[in-house]
């Protein structure tokens, strides 16, 4: 056998060994990385039922779901009209109010500012709705971002009305 | 590095040193030649080492009493403050110690900027230093989360959400960091684990940092190369050691002024309220040493943009040795650079002030101006100055008369005179 062929065969063996080795190391590291992801007990806490019968129009209640606050607001007539009247062109993250609140009287949102995660304060800011004090994001009566650094509207979680007075979140 | 071969005196020491050359190392460290003109700004490396040790010792003690669980963490801190013998002292030393550590590191970094210590051949000293600084910030951030007070919780929420700004995978990353859908018990546990680990990584990096320093030797206020083991240098021990110790004592006095008389001055009262994931405090602020970066984050009116600029403001420093292309190191001979340097210092302090103010009106405008200036300084002013600035003539030795700075001349003549004729205690 000539030297050249020998060295080609060696190159192949080296490359194959490195490749298998890299796959093995990757497989060994993955569990070490993945253990940090949300565990099964965290994922299991998925739904909450809330009794909303005592909420007056113009009032908001806040409940905890998956460690995050959920705002449930019973909106007044003027708030609903204001939210519906907004021209979509004026919005940073255009979304119709009717898509955000299936039942216009009830607005259910994750109460976490989409900027860096603070909890916005109610009945504040330029739109007399939600205002995040952390870096100054203003949201309107539909929870849509209007001014400030937040990129998107307040998130709408998955929820449904179980009956007239109970909302199931998750 | 010492050029001569060191041989210990006793047979036993020789036996030991030829198998594990710790004595040679200690001999090198004691005899390490330092320029005679080093001023007090050069004592902060030693002060930093001292504070790293203080943080490690007090931290290990606190860990004996602290409980990392969302229901118990806050109370275990109160337990340390009220019941553990001297617990209050150890906790206040650890908390204020981190502030002093950062104060010292900022002085140390700005010392480097002024005297051009980041320039060739000291780039690796500079870069290992910056990695230490990044690790320090990560360590302090995670440590601040541990008491699980309102500020702990919300500062950690805001900072970890920064990673959510990354397109596409942002949300997966925050969930991975938190181990959940919000900051919660899994997060507290892992922060505790890493807060314990990182100082030891810093310790290892400090060894590399000093190793890299000992290759070219110290820079000095004049910024010219000194001849090692000549009249221009003196041995580290005892001369620099004594100077370092004096500076350290003064710094420790200030430190204990805080610990005993104003232990909460640098902290935030809201952190004595237990964490509540439903209510964000009206005015959240990070610890003072992170304020300039916080101001940059808020100055940019876009989430991703703010995050990018904030990280860029730190990473740009890694490129500094190549951006600052002037061959002259010390600002003493760079009349224009000296002015821009002080403007930069003023802008960074202004950013720090603005970071503590609400993000509205004039504060936002000023923050934008200062942020813009910060980047212009590094990306435009420094490269341009390197080419066009007319620098003052450099002396050939640190004792040489310096033409237009008469007081410097006197000072060095005096220093030189003091050591003239005296046998300088470097190794033979
Ligand atoms: C835990 C943090 C640190 C420790 C314990 C430390 C320690 C030291 C020590 C003992 C010295 C030699 C004495 C002196 O010149 O002051 C030194 C030099 C130096 N350090 Fe650090 N350092 C730290 C962080 C940093 C950081 C964050 C930077 C810059 C980004 C930095 C940049 C430098 C430079 C450029 C020198 C060479 C200075 C010269 O000789 O002119 N260091 N450091
Ligand atoms: S977290 Fe709400 S504006 Fe930044």
């Amino acid at each position: 056998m000539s030297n050249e062929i020998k060295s080609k065969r060696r190159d192949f063996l080296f490359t194959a060994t490195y490749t298998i080795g890299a796959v093995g190391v990757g497989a060994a590291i993955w569990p070490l990385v993945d253990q940090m992801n949300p565990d099964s007990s965290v994922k299991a806490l998925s739904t909450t039922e809330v009794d909303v019968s005592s909420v007056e129009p113009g009032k908001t209640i806040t409940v905890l779901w998956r460690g995050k606050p959920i705002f449930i607001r019973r909106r007044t007539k003027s708030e609903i009209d204001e939210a519906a009247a907004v021209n979509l062109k004026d919005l940073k993250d255009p979304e119709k109010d009717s898509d955000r609140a299936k039942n216009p009287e009830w607005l259910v949102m994750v109460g976490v500012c989409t900027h860096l995660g603070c909890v916005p304060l109610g009945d504040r800011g330029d739109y007399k709705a939600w205002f995040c004090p952390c870096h100054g994001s203003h949201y309107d009566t539909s929870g849509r971002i209007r001014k400030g650094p937040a990129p998107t509207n307040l998130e709408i979680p998955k929820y449904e009305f179980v009956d007239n007075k109970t909302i199931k979140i998750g | 590095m010492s050029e001569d071969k060191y041989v210990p005196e006793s047979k036993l020491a020789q036996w030991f040193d030829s198998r594990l050359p710790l004595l040679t190392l200690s001999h090198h460290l004691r005899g390490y030649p330092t320029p005679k003109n080093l001023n007090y700004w050069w004592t902060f490396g030693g002060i930093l080492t001292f504070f790293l040790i203080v943080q490690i010792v007090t931290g290990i003690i606190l860990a004996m009493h602290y409980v990392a669980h969302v229901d118990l963490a806050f109370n275990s801190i109160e337990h340390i403050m009220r019941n553990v013998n001297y617990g209050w002292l150890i906790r206040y030393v650890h908390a204020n110690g981190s502030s002093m550590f950062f104060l010292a590191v900022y002085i140390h970094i700005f010392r480097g900027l002024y005297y051009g210590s980041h320039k060739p051949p000291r780039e690796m000293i500079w870069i290992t230093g910056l990695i230490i600084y990044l690790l320090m910030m990560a360590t302090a951030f995670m440590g601040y989360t541990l008491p699980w007070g309102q500020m702990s919780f919300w500062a950690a929420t805001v900072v970890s959400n920064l990673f959510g700004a990354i397109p596409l995978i942002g949300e997966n990353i925050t969930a991975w960091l938190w181990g959940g859908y919000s900051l919660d018990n899994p997060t507290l546990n892992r922060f505790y684990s890493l807060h314990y680990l990182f100082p030891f990584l810093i310790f290892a990096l400090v060894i590399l940092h000093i190793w890299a320093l000992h290759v070219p030797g110290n820079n000095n206020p004049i910024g010219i190369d000194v001849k090692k083991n000549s009249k221009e240098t003196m041995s580290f021990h005892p001369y620099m050691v004594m100077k370092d110790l004096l500076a350290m004592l003064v710094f420790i006095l200030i430190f204990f002024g805080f610990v005993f008389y104003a232990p909460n001055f640098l902290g935030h009262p809201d952190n004595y309220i237990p964490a509540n994931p439903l209510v964000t405090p009206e005015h959240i602020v990070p610890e003072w040493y992170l304020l300039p970066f916080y101001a940059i984050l808020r100055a940019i009116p876009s989430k991703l943009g703010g995050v990018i600029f904030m990280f860029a403001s730190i990473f740009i420093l890694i490129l500094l040795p190549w951006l600052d292309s002037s061959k002259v190191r010390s600002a003493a001979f760079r009349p224009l650079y000296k002015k821009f340097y002080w403007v930069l210092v003023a802008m960074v302090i202004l950013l720090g002030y603005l970071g503590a103010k609400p993000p509205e009106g004039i504060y936002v405008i000023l923050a934008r101006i200062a942020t813009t200036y910060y980047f212009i300084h590094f990306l435009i002013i420094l490269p341009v100055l390197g080419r066009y600035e007319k620098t003052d003539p450099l002396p050939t030795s640190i004792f040489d008369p310096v033409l237009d700075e008469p007081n410097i001349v006197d000072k060095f003549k005096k220093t030189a005179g003091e050591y003239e004729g005296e046998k300088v205690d470097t190794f033979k």
Side-chain angles (χ1 to χ4, degrees):
Chain A
M1 248 191 297
S2 78
N3 267 342
E4 206 176 308
I5 292 178
K6 235 192 215 158
S7 85
K8 271 192 187 140
R9 198 196 269 166
R10 282 243 161 118
D11 287 347
F12 172 77
L13 285 173
F14 277 133
T15 312
T17 315
Y18 290 144
T19 313
I20 302 286
V23 170
V25 170
I29 285 178
W30 177 243
L32 306 181
V33 173
D34 190 45
Q35 52 80 23
M36 279 176 67
N37 273 318
D39 63 36
S40 340
S41 74
V42 172
K43 284 188 195 148
L45 303 168
S46 53
T47 60
T48 313
E49 294 204 354
V50 192
D51 177 0
V52 294
S53 55
S54 58
V55 184
E56 304 279 328
K59 290 271 175 293
T60 307
I61 56 166
T62 308
V63 296
L64 209 57
W65 173 68
R66 285 181 156 184
K68 289 179 183 175
I70 301 292
F71 294 155
I72 303 178
R73 180 163 181 96
R74 187 163 179 185
R75 296 192 293 183
T76 61
K77 181 87 181 52
S78 67
E79 284 171 359
I80 300 171
D81 294 346
E82 210 180 304
V86 172
N87 184 344
L88 287 193
K89 283 205 203 78
D90 297 341
L91 297 174
K92 191 168 177 183
D93 178 14
E95 241 186 324
K96 277 200 242 141
D97 184 56
S98 52
D99 293 341
R100 292 177 57 80
K102 294 173 225 168
N103 172 351
E105 198 180 358
W106 293 96
L107 181 62
V108 181
M109 308 184 291
V110 178
V112 172
C113 180
T114 57
H115 182 225
L116 295 174
C118 293
V119 178
L121 303 165
D123 301 309
R124 301 272 187 99
D126 291 4
Y127 298 87
K128 292 273 165 303
W130 284 275
F131 169 69
C132 181
C134 290
H135 319 97
S137 288
H138 301 252
Y139 297 90
D140 67 13
T141 53
S142 183
R144 291 173 297 199
I145 178 66
R146 301 300 290 273
K147 194 176 148 192
T152 55
N153 304 333
L154 291 177
E155 189 192 331
I156 308 287
K158 219 176 112 206
Y159 69 91
E160 61 188 19
F161 283 87
V162 182
D163 54 46
N164 276 345
K165 49 180 193 155
T166 319
I167 298 180
K168 188 170 113 196
I169 302 165
Chain B
M1 298 265 122
S2 75
E3 281 81 18
D4 58 336
K5 183 98 182 82
Y6 165 76
V7 185
E9 270 172 33
S10 79
K11 273 263 166 351
L12 180 64
Q14 282 171 14
W15 180 90
F16 180 84
D17 200 56
S18 58
R19 283 158 182 79
L20 178 63
L22 280 182
L23 298 172
T24 302
L25 178 67
S26 136
H27 175 79
H28 160 75
L29 292 178
R30 292 157 58 94
Y32 171 68
T34 48
K36 281 179 183 171
N37 62 344
L38 294 190
N39 56 30
Y40 275 103
W41 300 116
W42 261 263
T43 59
F44 282 86
I47 292 174
L48 283 163
T49 313
F50 170 76
F51 274 101
L52 180 59
I53 293 167
V54 168
Q55 292 306 95
I56 290 179
V57 171
T58 53
I60 290 174
I61 293 172
L62 289 172
M64 296 178 184
H65 306 279
Y66 170 78
V67 187
H69 186 284
V70 286
D71 297 333
L72 304 170
F74 189 86
N75 289 339
S76 75
I77 299 283
E78 289 308 299
H79 164 71
I80 290 170
M81 296 298 286
R82 291 164 202 220
N83 306 333
V84 175
N85 302 330
Y86 292 105
W88 58 273
L89 177 64
I90 291 157
R91 174 166 180 246
Y92 279 151
V93 166
H94 195 77
N96 287 281
S98 88
S99 275
M100 289 292 134
F101 200 177
F102 275 95
L103 178 60
V105 89
Y106 283 126
I107 295 176
H108 192 64
I109 293 174
F110 276 100
R111 182 283 316 261
L113 288 176
Y114 188 85
Y115 294 113
S117 296
H118 49 279
K119 294 191 187 184
R122 295 187 179 78
E123 299 95 318
M124 282 317 294
I125 311 178
W126 178 251
I127 290 170
T128 49
L130 285 174
I131 299 173
I132 292 170
Y133 174 55
L134 284 171
L135 283 176
M136 276 174 69
M137 289 202 284
T139 310
F141 159 70
M142 289 188 290
Y144 194 55
T145 312
L146 302 182
W148 211 245
Q150 270 292 65
M151 274 298 156
S152 300
F153 185 89
W154 290 102
T157 297
V158 166
V159 174
S160 43
N161 267 306
L162 292 178
F163 296 93
I166 301 169
L168 301 177
I169 52 166
E171 262 177 47
N172 297 334
I173 293 189
T174 48
W176 180 73
L177 286 174
W178 288 331
Y181 305 104
S182 60
L183 197 72
D184 213 328
N185 201 46
T187 330
L188 178 59
N189 266 301
R190 63 191 58 181
F191 278 16
Y192 183 42
S193 166
L194 296 176
H195 182 70
Y196 210 131
L197 168 70
F198 278 23
F200 295 92
L201 294 184
I202 295 178
F203 201 93
L205 274 153
V206 169
I207 293 175
L208 295 188
H209 189 66
I210 294 174
W211 190 1
L213 169 73
H214 281 224
V215 177
N218 288 75
N219 184 25
N220 65 75
I222 299 291
I224 58 172
D225 292 334
V226 296
K227 288 176 249 7
K228 284 191 204 172
N229 303 331
S230 72
K231 274 192 187 142
E232 290 179 335
T233 62
M234 57 193 180
S235 66
F236 181 70
H237 182 77
Y239 303 109
M240 271 313 282
V241 170
M242 287 304 142
K243 188 162 180 153
D244 278 355
L245 282 177
L246 177 60
M248 203 179 291
L249 270 173
V250 173
F251 207 76
I252 290 172
L253 244 107
I254 301 172
F255 172 40
F256 277 98
F258 277 111
V259 170
F260 288 128
Y261 295 101
N264 291 309
F265 178 74
L266 296 164
H268 199 289
D270 277 20
N271 224 23
Y272 284 100
I273 304 170
N276 176 356
L278 290 182
V279 186
T280 308
E282 276 279 331
H283 190 54
I284 68 164
V285 279
E287 293 275 80
W288 69 266
Y289 40 81
L290 302 176
L291 287 173
F293 303 110
Y294 197 55
I296 292 177
L297 170 77
R298 301 191 305 181
I300 313 287
S302 123
K303 178 171 170 178
L304 183 60
V307 174
I308 290 177
F309 273 87
M310 189 185 73
F311 282 108
S313 67
I314 304 172
F315 284 102
I316 203 171
L317 293 173
I318 293 182
L319 299 177
L320 182 64
W322 295 275
L323 291 170
D324 181 0
S325 53
S326 174
K327 293 275 174 293
V328 176
R329 291 197 193 102
S330 173
F333 304 99
R334 300 185 60 189
L336 286 175
Y337 174 73
K338 199 191 272 177
K339 297 203 176 82
F340 286 116
Y341 171 86
W342 288 112
V343 178
L344 179 74
V345 173
M347 287 295 168
V348 172
I349 293 174
L350 176 66
L351 279 172
Y353 167 79
L354 295 170
K357 291 283 158 199
E360 49 197 34
I362 180 76
Y363 298 128
V364 177
I365 298 169
L366 285 174
R368 291 194 182 146
I369 295 174
T371 302
T372 314
Y373 184 83
Y374 181 92
F375 285 96
I376 289 182
H377 177 90
F378 289 106
L379 291 175
I380 299 176
I381 296 179
L382 289 186
V384 170
L385 274 189
R387 278 198 198 177
Y388 299 108
E389 184 182 20
K390 194 175 162 328
T391 54
D392 295 340
L394 290 177
T396 49
S397 145
I398 57 174
F399 301 135
D400 269 6
V402 183
L403 298 173
D404 39 357
E405 297 243 16
N407 1 0
I408 287 199
V409 181
D410 290 348
K411 225 161 113 196
F412 287 127
K413 273 202 181 130
K414 207 165 130 251
T415 323
E418 266 166 35
Y419 292 100
E420 212 68 70
E422 184 185 322
K423 193 171 136 292
V424 178
D425 183 20
T426 48
F427 35 84
K428 290 131 244 152

